[in-house]
Amino acid sequence: LVVGLNAVIMLPLFRLEPDTWWLIKLGQQILLTGHWLKADIYSFTAYGNNPLAYEWLGEVVLWLAYKSGGLKGLQILLFGLTSTILVLVYYFGCLRSRNSKAAFAATIAITPLAAMTFTLRPQLLGYILLLITLIILERYREGLQKSLWILPPLFLVWVNTHGSFILGYCILGLYWLCGLRRFEVGGLRMEPWTKKQRLHMEIVFLVSCLTLPITPFGGQAAI
């Protein structure tokens, strides 16, 4: 039903922002030349400026969608990404509320508002990676310890996809911070992490930070 509602909202309103074509062009340039754009070579007034393709992985995805199906391919990609976001929102809501009906109602309620931000840019991939991070941390809180090791490779992909990876590090830090002491406010309750859990999160955070310079531009993407 969530995916169906997304189809009703997104498919008739399909549109591309002007800078989407710029992102597609960058993705094309990367795949055709095998080189990452490290300076502006297209603009007259900003020629030679700082690197433009920090989000190169997302740009490559856009180009591949356009190459395979033109506008239809971009429409399918947009629908697939936004549907994935809504499904992940629903799943995260189920984890947090432990009530599938409440999670479904919340997802339906936010869908029209979320659709206003659903433009075809690498940020959609960033939203997906952000939700996956939240889900992994929530599952870790429930006792699935090994799931936390998904984060370092996830951040490696994220830092090459969209600048929202900074939010991922902030959320990981907040989860660690909120588990230092037990607190309960209304329906919100957090049990303190054990010493082993805190150490585990700290190690995963440090390993995740090591992925920051693993980009075609080194550590510039994180600055």
Side-chain angles (χ1 to χ4, degrees), residues 161-189:
T161 302
H162 189 256
S164 58
F165 67 86
I166 296 296
L167 293 177
Y169 288 105
C170 292
I171 288 171
L172 180 53
L174 284 174
Y175 261 77
W176 175 84
L177 184 64
C178 291
L180 294 182
R181 296 182 62 182
R182 185 182 186 277
F183 72 90
E184 184 173 356
V185 179
L188 296 176
R189 184 176 68 249

Side-chain angles (χ1 to χ4, degrees), residues 23 26-28 30-31 36 52-65 77 81 121-123 125-126 129 153-162 214-217:
L23 298 173
L26 292 177
Q28 179 192 40
I30 291 169
L31 287 184
W36 288 266
L52 300 173
Y54 287 129
E55 303 170 347
W56 70 271
L57 196 55
E59 292 156 359
V60 165
V61 170
L62 293 179
W63 163 244
L64 290 175
L77 176 63
L81 293 177
R121 294 189 179 98
Q123 68 189 34
L125 293 168
L129 295 170
L154 182 143
F155 276 107
L156 177 60
V157 174
W158 201 349
V159 75
N160 286 282
T161 302
H162 189 256
I214 307 178
T215 75
F217 312 102

